[in-house]
Amino acid sequence: MKKWIVTLFAMLPSLVIAAGANVPLDKANNDLSDQASLQNGAKLFMNYCFGCHSSQYQRYERVARDIGIPLDLLKENLIFDPNVKVGELMENAIPDEAAAKWFGAAPPDLTLVARVRGVDWLYTYLRSFYADSSRPFGVNNIVFPSVGMPHVLEELQGIPKPIYETKVINGQEHQVVVGTESDGTGELNQEEYDDAIRDLVNFLEYSGDPVKLERHALGWWVMAFLVIFTIVVVLLKKEYWRDVH
């Protein structure tokens, strides 16, 4: 069940979890209170991620209610199988055995990916693909070298070209990929693509912790109660001990 922890965002039988650990991460700066962002993130997830990755610990109806999508629009635009009901879990139709055969390992479930990897890692990772003809899917990734996942958002970004920099490693000079730049063939410009990735990461963060905002709001009420309770206790103590002194 927890295979996704090991095979996260990759489709190979073996990988190194610490891959790309030395790469500086960009700040996602997403906002869980931004429903427009969450809705766009849900659309991107269903159109570009859900074909391989499921979100099996969520239900369509709960997601729609939380991020403000009317059920009729949900059915029309985000549920692609007419036999799937809004109360069902968000599971895709690819059998694990078939996916493992095609990709080397079954694509991981992404419900908790933001909690496992962190939003900054996801934001940087999804913007770090670059063309590499030596890889099976023709792309590599700065944050996750030798990644086994295709660049599914290529039609939005265009073909990202690697930017190289000469670095000395173990006393020898090496050409290292330090960034990417689009060839301009995508549907979005760089700023629009970054915003789209931020929306997708926003939705994935929501997926991993749907009640995060409610929990934080409740925390402030608890803190306020404790402050008021402390004041009452202190005043009560003074009242009890006044006659003793």
Side-chain angles (χ1 to χ4, degrees):
M1 180 180 293
K2 294 186 178 180
K3 187 185 296 183
W4 56 268
I5 297 178
V6 181
T7 59
L8 189 60
F9 267 114
M11 302 172 188
L12 298 175
S14 62
L15 53 83
V16 180
I17 290 298
N22 295 324
V23 176
L25 300 179
D26 299 326
K27 289 293 184 181
N29 295 322
N30 52 303
D31 181 3
L32 288 174
S33 66
D34 186 344
Q35 284 205 333
S37 171
L38 290 170
Q39 292 167 6
N40 189 48
K43 182 184 73 174
L44 291 169
F45 177 82
M46 295 304 296
N47 282 279
Y48 292 98
C49 306
F50 194 67
C52 294
H53 299 276
S54 61
S55 186
Q56 63 182 342
Y57 303 110
Q58 292 181 289
R59 295 185 184 276
Y60 290 100
E61 186 175 19
R62 168 66 188 272
V63 171
R65 183 174 70 247
D66 284 350
I67 66 177
I69 300 178
L71 290 182
D72 57 337
L73 293 180
L74 175 78
K75 296 175 185 177
E76 182 179 350
N77 297 290
L78 297 182
I79 298 181
F80 308 125
D81 184 347
N83 297 317
V84 172
K85 296 180 173 55
V86 295
E88 294 184 22
L89 295 170
M90 297 174 64
E91 299 176 308
N92 62 30
I94 300 181
D96 287 346
E97 296 79 8
K101 180 180 179 180
W102 298 334
F103 303 114
D109 179 86
L110 297 185
T111 313
L112 301 176
V113 65
R115 299 185 69 171
V116 175
R117 286 295 195 181
V119 294
D120 293 342
W121 190 95
L122 287 176
Y123 179 66
T124 308
Y125 166 77
L126 291 171
R127 295 162 50 254
S128 296
F129 281 92
Y130 63 90
D132 183 351
S133 59
S134 69
R135 299 299 303 154
F137 292 105
V139 291
N140 212 325
N141 192 281
I142 300 173
V143 176
F144 202 145
S146 300
V147 66
M149 173 179 162
H151 185 24
V152 296
L153 299 169
E154 185 176 297
E155 72 172 8
L156 299 181
Q157 183 185 22
I159 300 175
K161 301 176 181 179
I163 298 174
Y164 292 96
E165 183 177 294
T166 301
K167 292 189 177 183
V168 177
I169 302 176
N170 296 327
Q172 295 183 338
E173 291 187 349
H174 295 270
Q175 291 291 307
V176 179
V177 180
V178 295
T180 68
E181 59 180 356
S182 174
D183 66 349
T185 60
E187 296 178 8
L188 307 177
N189 61 37
Q190 187 60 53
E191 183 178 356
E192 292 170 337
Y193 182 72
D194 289 347
D195 288 341
I197 295 302
R198 184 174 290 107
D199 293 343
L200 176 56
V201 171
N202 202 19
F203 176 73
L204 290 172
E205 183 179 8
Y206 153 77
S207 299
D209 194 353
V211 296
K212 185 174 182 177
L213 291 181
E214 297 175 29
R215 190 176 68 252
H216 285 187
L218 180 61
W220 285 110
W221 282 107
V222 171
M223 293 298 294
F225 168 78
L226 291 176
V227 169
I228 296 173
F229 180 73
T230 300
I231 294 173
V232 172
V233 169
V234 170
L235 293 176
L236 187 62
K237 174 182 177 295
K238 289 183 177 180
E239 180 66 24
Y240 273 118
W241 285 88
R242 183 172 57 183
D243 295 337
V244 175
H245 296 290

